[in-house]
Amino acid sequence: MTDDAYLFLLDDPSVPLGVAPAAVGDLACMETPAVRAWLDAQGSTPTSPQLRLLPPEETAALPEDAERLPVPLSDEELSRVRHGMAPQSLAGIEEELLAYRDCADGRDGLIGRALAAGVPPHRVVELTGVDPATVTAAAGR
């Protein structure tokens, strides 16, 4: 297994392998000289239906004869690629998990601010639904 994702070209765009880079939003790697040169050398474009992207853990599925290029992705970009590859039956629950992550980000800071402002710990537990131990831990930060 490699730590890089791979851009690659498929002969048949109907093959359900990887995800189209255009389908996962802006990717920093698509603007690099290396990717631009590789696409030019392949006679391809960033929006080509044959252009696909696989995360590092899926690169063993790459066809041996596929033209490929390793590309680094940020954690956020990699998350979007993985989400784009998820079966439709999982995509909805993944959206919910991402929403939870986004709303839970900064939770301890918010709890700490509430406690500092004078909201009693038992009320923080009631309002947030978090475990009392979590409130106590956030108070110590």
Side-chain angles (χ1 to χ4, degrees):
M1 185 169 91
T2 177
D3 290 338
D4 288 326
Y6 273 87
L7 276 175
F8 65 102
L9 292 171
L10 281 176
D11 291 332
D12 181 359
S14 68
V15 173
L17 180 61
V19 64
V24 296
D26 291 334
L27 299 170
C29 68
M30 297 302 289
E31 300 302 321
T32 63
V35 169
R36 292 290 185 186
W38 183 80
L39 287 171
D40 286 345
Q42 303 308 318
S44 188
T45 67
T47 57
S48 168
Q50 283 117 341
L51 184 62
R52 301 292 173 84
L53 187 58
L54 276 176
E57 66 274 9
E58 299 290 334
T59 56
L62 274 168
E64 286 185 30
D65 61 340
E67 293 293 335
R68 63 185 89 189
L69 178 71
V71 292
L73 298 177
S74 70
D75 289 342
E76 179 61 30
E77 290 171 335
L78 191 53
S79 178
R80 287 187 279 141
V81 168
R82 289 176 176 140
H83 180 69
M85 290 185 55
Q88 198 60 24
S89 61
L90 298 180
I93 195 69
E94 283 194 1
E95 284 293 330
E96 290 181 48
L97 288 169
L98 287 170
Y100 173 78
R101 179 194 69 189
D102 291 344
C103 75
D105 189 35
R107 176 197 70 188
D108 291 350
L110 176 60
I111 291 171
R113 289 193 313 275
L115 294 170
V119 178
H122 73 278
R123 184 70 177 136
V124 173
V125 170
E126 290 172 11
L127 292 170
T128 63
V130 299
D131 186 82
T134 301
V135 173
T136 302
R141 291 190 181 119

